Amino acid sequence: MTQPRGSAAKSAALSAALSGAVDLSALKARAEAARKQPAPSAGPPAPSGDGPPPSGEAVIDVTEATFQAEVVERSLHQLVVVDLWAEWCGPCKQLSPVLERLAAESGGAWVVAKVDVDANPRIAQLFGAQSIPTIVAIAGGQPVDAFSGALPEPEIRKWINSLLDALRDKLPGIRDAAAGGAVEEPEDPRFTEAEEAFERGDFAAAQAAYERILDVEPANELAKNALAQVKFTARAEKADPDARAKADADPSDLTAQLDAADLEIAENQVEAGFKRLIDVVRRTAGEDRNKVREHLVALFDLFDPVDERVMKARRDLASALF
């Protein structure tokens, strides 16, 4: 399900997988059953989910017991963006603060529903999340769009805005926020410049723009991820379209092998692309082996580090090298 981070294809593939395929009734039943159990101690009752959702909250922590009220029923009034995260997830620590800040700025048009997947694995299973962070937009009680991986803030803002535009006439919370005159924070012009260059196919300009950001902010993970995506896309578009046939016909053709792996990754044949290069590492030595190894490691950087395919390929690469 996970494709290279930052790609439009990734969001589309995940959204298509969710469309009409996620049944929230199982968690609804589980939550309702939990609410019928007597409270373990005195205190405020658990939310019943009846009536309109609470107002003024931009970020809410969600469990299996509160999922029905805080996500499904809330989504009948406003857009709910489910953030599947974990404490050990590095990209989550980059992405979550961006989502939370944008939600706070929205004037109540949407909220972030944070789900710790370690504490609530059934919710992650419900959405078929194969890696984290995975972000799922819920409206009208159903998933409407999704992406995985840490995207740059301008891409996230654009994604949210497109959802709000599409749902403005359907959810009262969005209409109310619009009527309240919530003001959008201006986009970061540095990322806007890079994105616009990427969209018009000027990969050299996009690369230069992201590199300028990193010159000033070397630890900016969003710029690093975007830069890796730009470099890969530029290389994949230049790849020989017949590379796979040439590589299969002549295993010693190193250029064909590298191009073929890029094409396979671009088409989401991730395991095939990784395996191809690991096999080349096994049968080469010296500079050729190092060139293939560096190419493969650069491909790993396109994905979430905890993606199972990446972790397996890293193990296989270590075995091939040593």
Side-chain angles (χ1 to χ4, degrees):
M1 176 176 63
T2 307
Q3 296 184 37
R5 290 183 292 190
S7 69
K10 172 175 62 179
S11 177
L14 181 54
S15 300
L18 287 173
S19 179
V22 175
D23 180 7
L24 301 182
S25 61
L27 279 178
K28 176 179 180 179
R30 192 184 308 279
E32 289 175 345
R35 287 202 298 269
K36 292 177 182 177
Q37 298 298 319
S41 60
S48 68
D50 297 331
S55 60
E57 296 176 277
V59 182
I60 49 179
D61 290 314
V62 174
T63 66
E64 291 177 16
T66 63
F67 187 90
Q68 169 65 17
E70 297 287 25
V71 175
V72 180
E73 293 175 14
R74 185 184 289 266
S75 75
L76 302 177
H77 302 266
Q78 63 188 148
L79 176 65
V80 179
V81 175
V82 177
D83 178 7
L84 301 175
W85 68 284
E87 184 63 37
W88 47 264
C89 171
C92 298
K93 295 176 182 178
Q94 298 292 328
L95 179 63
S96 292
V98 175
L99 288 171
E100 293 167 16
R101 176 166 51 80
L102 295 180
E105 295 168 2
S106 75
W110 63 283
V111 297
V112 176
K114 295 178 64 64
V115 177
D116 182 340
V117 299
D118 288 338
N120 303 277
R122 290 188 182 90
I123 296 179
Q125 292 167 9
L126 172 79
F127 291 116
Q130 295 183 5
S131 64
I132 55 172
T134 288
I135 309 301
V136 185
I138 309 291
Q142 289 296 324
V144 293
D145 206 353
F147 69 85
S148 59
L151 302 185
E153 180 175 331
E155 289 188 33
I156 298 170
R157 188 183 293 274
K158 193 174 298 183
W159 180 72
I160 290 291
N161 286 342
S162 67
L163 289 171
L164 294 178
D165 288 343
L167 297 167
R168 197 171 304 279
D169 295 331
K170 300 177 181 179
L171 300 180
I174 298 177
R175 291 198 299 271
D176 293 345
V183 178
E184 267 188 32
E185 179 181 319
E187 293 187 358
D188 186 329
R190 303 172 303 167
F191 279 94
T192 300
E193 176 191 0
E195 279 194 320
E196 289 177 349
F198 183 84
E199 288 172 1
R200 67 174 180 265
D202 190 345
F203 302 125
Q207 177 174 335
Y210 285 123
E211 287 174 342
R212 284 194 293 273
I213 295 173
L214 291 170
D215 286 341
V216 178
E217 303 175 33
N220 191 315
E221 290 296 324
L222 298 178
K224 288 180 184 178
N225 294 340
L227 178 60
Q229 180 65 36
V230 168
K231 289 181 176 180
F232 169 76
T233 304
R235 193 175 70 230
E237 288 212 349
K238 293 179 180 178
D240 183 349
D242 298 324
R244 277 172 287 194
K246 292 178 180 179
D248 293 343
D250 182 4
S252 66
D253 187 339
L254 205 63
T255 299
Q257 297 293 345
L258 298 178
D259 282 356
D262 283 349
L263 291 173
E264 286 165 338
I265 297 296
E267 295 174 4
N268 203 31
Q269 299 176 34
V270 179
E271 294 93 338
F274 288 167
K275 182 179 184 303
R276 178 185 294 278
L277 295 188
I278 290 167
D279 288 344
V280 176
V281 167
R282 285 195 175 98
R283 59 176 182 262
T284 54
E287 291 184 6
D288 285 350
R289 169 183 271 200
N290 193 52
K291 181 178 181 180
V292 177
R293 181 191 62 79
E294 290 179 351
H295 194 103
L296 180 57
V297 170
L299 291 178
F300 291 160
D301 290 340
L302 297 171
F303 298 84
D304 191 320
V306 298
D307 188 307
E308 292 180 1
R309 298 166 298 184
V310 173
M311 292 192 292
K312 179 181 184 303
R314 286 190 184 277
R315 293 192 298 268
D316 291 344
L317 175 60
S319 176
L321 288 170
F322 304 108

